[in-house]
């Protein structure tokens, strides 16, 4: 018994003696016993709490979705764990986070123990304190999203750097950017960050790296980091790098059937256990709403392709959207692909397991919600259709019993020209995912848990909303082409989300299918004034947001508001096959709600695209953007169509607006800045 407890009992006894006239001997004994029991309970309770803390710190089967108090001081984490390298990531699709993890892991080879950090979960003002840690280095793997914007998780950090004036003297840094050259603002965030850190006094350890996702971002990353590490060694006077060590980041724990109840096992929830069974707003990326699919119909009238019109019921979600916003869908991987992967790895897909981070300082305790089954992990949490990056091939090589298979994988994981060429032909050109690799390299037999550790997290798919809340406040409409194509190896690859959607259509007498969704706000907006004219270019499913725009403007007209001109350029292959929403568009045209310009590329010998029609109408184009203060919108393919359209706009500004080439470029940049030239494009 503690000294405090003994003192308490003594005081109680003394009190009882003083109060002798009021209490009998029996009363005194009972009072002392009662106090003793109370003290013992408090003491035991404290012991149990301490025991619970120890158990929780081991987090062996702690569900990923449970509430945790997260330490947001990355400086404290570095100090307590003896690390000097911190790799921050700005990631929208998971690639930036993956690259950051690889750099932090490789740091051990170069005598720099590292950690990965999400800027959203850190107090980034602590960058000022980082120089206080000897030989410290901050690396930033930053993706550019949308129209030159930072990713959601890096937005606050980006604003802090942009609007603040912190003294970062003594901070050692390096930046690798993730972008896509088909977009106008290629790697804008990384370029700005690299420049801004230097302006604030930080020291660049190695030059800015720029990754192009339109080409081979994996190649760009490897080429950059293979020069980055020698520069780090020189900067910090590290004599030699250690040998490459393949260490597992997560420890496998297999749970016995009696160890957990079904209520403790994740079955597809994104973050919080039972969040899909017990729905609670607000809904976001970590807490999606399980929406009913009310309508799921085919839009194409012929041909070998499929385009779906899907209506999602959001009436009970309290979610709101505006025309031009995006809806994110959490897909489920194809069941056949999951089963094949289970067979190839010899796994029991219904076995319950957890992967636990061996780095106890990491805020990421599991790679995905655990405990769960392998079937759930492969279906809901892992990108099994993604083309594996080189570090995955390097780890797979260790499980090959055939030397030729091993050499092939090892070669593709190198930075040699031969290795790059083989990776490009065997993985990228052939579109081989993890299932295809294990099928073709038959001696490669990795355990299923290591596959689960290596594969990236399954990401939501984003679609431009093709409806207006003015007409459809309780439903969100999607227009999506079902992705399916043949690969050079003779296999058929399918899009994850559209394949799932194509199989889940409402049937009479059956419950409506449901899918997890959330709304992502966009800058793709109609003008505030309904009388402002708009010109829209949206071939194929690029029409989606403009369907919402037209619904909104037609609604405004019926309410007696003055509505400006709505000019639409739409294109498809054949009028009779893939002219989506034809009846709606022609009805709008009859009512005077839109001026249609439609191109059918394959209905005549010489192909005609929307760009041909737009170029013929440059007088009207200039009149809208140059004389009538109108807005110009483009939605669709970023690689070719959007570039061609932009060039036509520049040409119209020069030829019809009387500007020089440089003046035309400045004029267009001004339109973009004022949100009068807006793009919603993809590659």
């Amino acid at each position: 018994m503690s000294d405090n407890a003994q003192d308490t009992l003594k005081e109680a006894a003394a009190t009882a003696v003083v109060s002798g006239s009021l209490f009998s001997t029996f009363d005194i004994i009972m009072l002392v016993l009662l106090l003793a029991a109370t003290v013992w309970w408090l003491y035991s309770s404290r012991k149990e709490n301490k025991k619970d803390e120890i158990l929780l710190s081991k987090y062996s089967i702690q569900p990923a979705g449970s509430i945790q108090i997260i330490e947001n001081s990355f400086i404290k984490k570095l100090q307590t764990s003896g690390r000097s390298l911190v790799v921050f990531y700005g990631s929208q699709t998971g690639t930036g986070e993956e690259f950051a993890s690889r750099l932090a892991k490789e740091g051990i080879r170069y005598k720099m123990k590292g950690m990965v950090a999400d800027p959203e979960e850190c107090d980034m003002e602590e960058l000022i304190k980082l120089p206080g840690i000897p030989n410290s280095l901050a690396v930033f793997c930053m993706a550019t999203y949308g129209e030159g914007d930072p990713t959601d998780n890096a937005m606050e950090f980006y604003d802090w750097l942009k609007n603040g004036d912190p003294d970062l003297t003594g901070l050692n840094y390096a930046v690798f950017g993730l972008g896509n050259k088909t977009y106008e603002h290629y790697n804008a965030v990384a370029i700005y960050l690299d420049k801004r850190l230097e302006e604030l006094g930080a020291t660049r350890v190695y030059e800015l790296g720029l990754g192009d996702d339109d080409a081979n971002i994996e190649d760009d990353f490897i080429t950059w980091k293979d020069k980055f590490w020698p520069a780090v060694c020189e900067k910090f006077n590290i004599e030699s790098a250690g040998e490459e060590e393949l260490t597992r980041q997560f420890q496998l724990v297999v749970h016995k059937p009696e160890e957990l109840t079904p209520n403790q096992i994740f079955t597809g929830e994104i973050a919080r256990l039972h969040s899909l069974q017990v729905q609670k707003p607000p809904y976001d990326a970590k807490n999606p709403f399980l929406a009913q699919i009310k309508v799921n119909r085919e839009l194409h009238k012929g041909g070998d392709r499929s385009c779906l019109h899907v209506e999602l019921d959001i009436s009970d979600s309290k979610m709101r959207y505006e025309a031009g916003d995006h809806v994110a869908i959490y897909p489920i991987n194809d069941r056949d692909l999951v089963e094949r992967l289970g067979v190839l790895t010899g796994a029991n897909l219904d076995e319950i397991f957890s992967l636990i981070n061996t780095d106890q300082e990491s805020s990421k305790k599991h790679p995905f919600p655990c405990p769960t089954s392998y079937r759930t992990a492969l279906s809901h949490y892992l990108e099994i259709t993604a083309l594996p990056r080189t570090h995955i091939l390097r780890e797979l090589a260790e499980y090959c019993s055939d030397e030729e298979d091993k050499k092939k994988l090892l070669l593709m994981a190198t930075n040699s020209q031969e290795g790059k060429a083989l990776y490009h032909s065997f993985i990228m050109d052939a579109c081989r995912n993890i299932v295809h690799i294990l099928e073709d390299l038959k001696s490669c037999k990795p355990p299923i848990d290591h596959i689960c550790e290596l594969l990236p997290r399954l990401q939501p798919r984003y679609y431009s909303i093709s409806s207006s809340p003015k007409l459809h406040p309780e439903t969100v409409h999607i227009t999506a082409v079902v992705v399916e194509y043949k690969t050079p190896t003779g296999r058929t690859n399918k899009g994850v989300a559209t394949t799932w959607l194509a199989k889940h259509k409402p049937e009479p007498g059956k419950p409506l299918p449901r899918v997890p969704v959330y709304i992502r706000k966009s800058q793709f907006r109609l003008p505030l004034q309904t009388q402002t004219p708009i010109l829209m270019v949206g071939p194929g499913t690029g029409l989606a947001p403009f369907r919402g725009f037209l619904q909104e403007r037609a609604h405004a007209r019926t309410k007696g508001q003055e509505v400006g001109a709505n000019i639409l350029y739409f294109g498809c292959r054949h009028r009779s096959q893939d002219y989506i929403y034809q009846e709606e568009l022609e009805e709008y045209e009859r009512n005077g709600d839109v001026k249609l310009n439609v191109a059918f590329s394959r209905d005549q010998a010489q192909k005609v695209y929307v760009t041909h029609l737009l170029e013929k109408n440059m007088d009207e184009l200039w009149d809208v953007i140059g004389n009538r203060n109108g807005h110009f919108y483009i939605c669709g393919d970023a690689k070719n169509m959007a570039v061609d359209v932009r060039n036509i706009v520049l040409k119209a500004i020069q030829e019809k607006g009387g500007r020089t080439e440089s003046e035309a470029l400045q004029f267009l940049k001004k339109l973009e800045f004022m949100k009068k030239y807006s793009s919603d494009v993809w590659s």
Side-chain angles (χ1 to χ4, degrees), residues 92-327:
Q92 201 73 24
T93 64
T95 307
E97 183 179 1
E98 179 195 319
F99 284 178
S101 297
R102 288 163 67 178
L103 284 172
K105 194 174 179 181
E106 284 182 19
I108 298 171
R109 290 179 59 195
Y110 302 94
K111 302 178 182 178
M112 295 193 80
K113 194 177 178 186
M115 64 174 276
V116 181
D118 181 348
E120 194 173 34
E121 296 178 358
C122 296
D123 178 3
M124 294 305 288
E125 293 185 21
E126 285 195 327
L127 278 177
I128 298 167
K129 301 177 184 177
L130 190 57
I133 296 177
N135 291 341
S136 58
L137 173 63
V139 183
F140 300 86
C141 292
M142 307 299 286
T144 297
Y145 158 72
E147 296 300 295
D149 302 316
T151 57
D152 294 344
N153 76 309
M155 184 72 75
E156 196 174 323
F157 168 54
Y158 184 85
D159 289 343
W160 174 67
L161 282 182
K162 196 172 184 179
N163 302 318
D165 195 28
D167 181 7
L168 299 182
T169 303
L171 173 70
N172 298 310
Y173 79 93
V175 179
F176 182 82
L178 297 88
N180 189 309
K181 273 188 177 173
T182 60
Y183 292 77
E184 185 201 347
H185 304 281
Y186 174 61
N187 263 313
V189 171
I191 292 168
Y192 173 79
L193 179 63
D194 181 65
K195 181 184 174 186
R196 183 61 177 153
L197 289 171
E198 186 180 43
E199 289 174 351
L200 294 170
T203 302
R204 185 185 296 104
V205 170
Y206 185 61
E207 66 186 37
L208 170 67
L210 299 177
D212 179 16
D213 198 36
D214 183 54
N216 186 347
I217 200 167
E218 174 72 6
D219 189 3
D220 295 334
F221 177 64
I222 292 173
T223 302
W224 177 81
K225 75 181 180 68
D226 280 0
K227 293 177 182 176
F228 159 76
W229 284 119
V232 170
C233 291
E234 184 179 349
K235 168 71 178 176
F236 297 110
N237 198 26
I238 299 170
E239 291 184 7
S240 61
E243 290 298 314
E244 182 181 12
E245 292 182 22
L246 296 181
T247 55
R248 293 284 298 268
Q249 185 181 351
F250 295 92
Q251 178 187 350
L252 172 67
V253 174
V254 177
H255 302 291
K256 296 175 183 177
E258 67 276 8
E259 189 177 337
L260 299 168
T261 66
N263 285 337
Q264 294 175 291
I265 300 167
F266 283 89
T267 57
E269 301 93 332
I270 305 306
R272 180 173 54 84
L273 198 59
H274 309 310
S275 62
L276 296 178
Q277 290 80 19
V278 182
Q279 295 263 273
K280 295 178 182 178
Y283 298 105
D284 54 26
K286 293 181 179 178
N287 182 37
F289 175 68
L290 200 58
Q292 288 183 326
I293 299 175
K294 294 183 72 175
V295 176
N296 189 346
R297 60 184 172 87
E298 179 61 52
L299 288 174
H300 285 178
K301 298 168 185 173
D304 56 358
R305 297 183 305 151
S306 171
C307 184
L308 302 175
H309 170 82
V310 179
E311 298 182 13
L312 304 169
D313 186 352
I314 60 166
S315 57
D316 296 328
S317 69
K318 297 185 180 178
M319 290 192 297
R320 299 290 179 265
Y321 75 97
E322 293 182 62
D325 282 342
H326 301 130
V327 60

Side-chain angles (χ1 to χ4, degrees), residues 450-683:
H450 202 175
I451 292 289
C452 289
E453 178 177 328
L454 291 173
L455 292 180
R457 184 80 183 261
L458 184 62
Q459 298 295 323
R461 271 51 174 174
Y462 297 97
Y463 298 93
S464 297
I465 295 175
S466 56
S467 56
S468 164
K470 298 286 195 299
L471 263 70
H472 305 283
E474 296 190 339
T475 57
V476 164
H477 297 188
I478 296 172
T479 308
V481 168
V482 178
V483 177
E484 186 172 323
Y485 60 93
K486 286 280 186 185
T487 73
T489 64
R491 296 178 169 99
T492 299
N493 280 2
K494 300 176 181 180
V496 180
T498 52
T499 299
W500 187 90
L501 284 171
K503 293 178 180 177
H504 290 78
K505 297 183 178 180
E507 295 181 31
K510 291 186 178 181
L512 292 175
R514 292 175 177 265
V515 63
V517 304
Y518 70 93
I519 304 296
R520 185 174 71 180
K521 294 298 176 185
S522 167
Q523 297 299 315
F524 204 68
R525 288 279 182 267
L526 277 167
L528 291 175
Q529 304 298 324
T530 59
Q531 62 266 34
T532 303
I534 61 174
L535 195 156
M536 304 163 282
V537 181
T541 54
L543 173 62
F546 303 136
R547 180 176 181 259
F549 283 9
L550 290 175
Q551 286 179 1
E552 195 138 316
R553 289 222 149 178
H555 176 77
R557 180 183 57 78
T558 61
K559 295 294 183 182
Q561 293 177 279
E562 182 187 346
V563 177
N566 304 311
I567 303 162
L568 174 66
Y569 286 81
F570 171 75
C572 60
R573 294 181 181 183
H574 303 281
R575 177 187 285 272
S576 62
Q577 292 183 4
D578 51 353
Y579 188 178
I580 59 176
Y581 302 117
Q582 179 181 354
E583 293 77 11
E584 287 183 32
L585 293 176
E586 290 176 351
E587 177 71 17
Y588 283 134
E589 188 175 42
R590 283 192 293 272
N591 293 338
D593 290 315
V594 69
K595 179 182 176 183
L596 281 178
N597 299 275
V598 188
F600 305 104
S601 63
R602 302 186 186 184
D603 275 355
Q604 60 282 314
Q606 191 169 355
K607 291 182 179 178
V608 178
Y609 297 110
V610 290
T611 47
H612 295 128
L613 303 184
L614 189 65
E615 196 162 17
K616 285 181 182 177
N617 296 330
M618 286 199 300
D619 283 320
E620 182 181 63
L621 194 167
W622 171 249
D623 186 46
V624 170
I625 65 172
N627 299 327
R628 297 161 62 193
N629 202 29
H631 286 222
F632 188 98
Y633 300 92
I634 179 169
C635 182
D637 166 48
K639 192 169 186 177
N640 299 305
M641 185 272 298
V643 175
D644 293 342
V645 168
R646 183 180 176 82
N647 288 335
I648 291 168
V649 173
L650 285 168
K651 185 178 178 181
I653 297 169
Q654 291 176 68
E655 294 184 8
K656 306 301 178 181
R659 264 59 166 195
T660 64
E661 186 178 342
S662 61
E663 287 172 342
L665 192 60
Q666 284 302 113
F667 184 87
L668 185 54
K669 286 187 179 296
K670 184 180 177 182
L671 291 181
E672 289 175 324
F673 177 76
M674 297 171 71
K675 302 296 182 186
K676 292 183 178 181
Y677 183 99
S678 302
S679 300
D680 185 359
V681 294
W682 57 85
S683 61

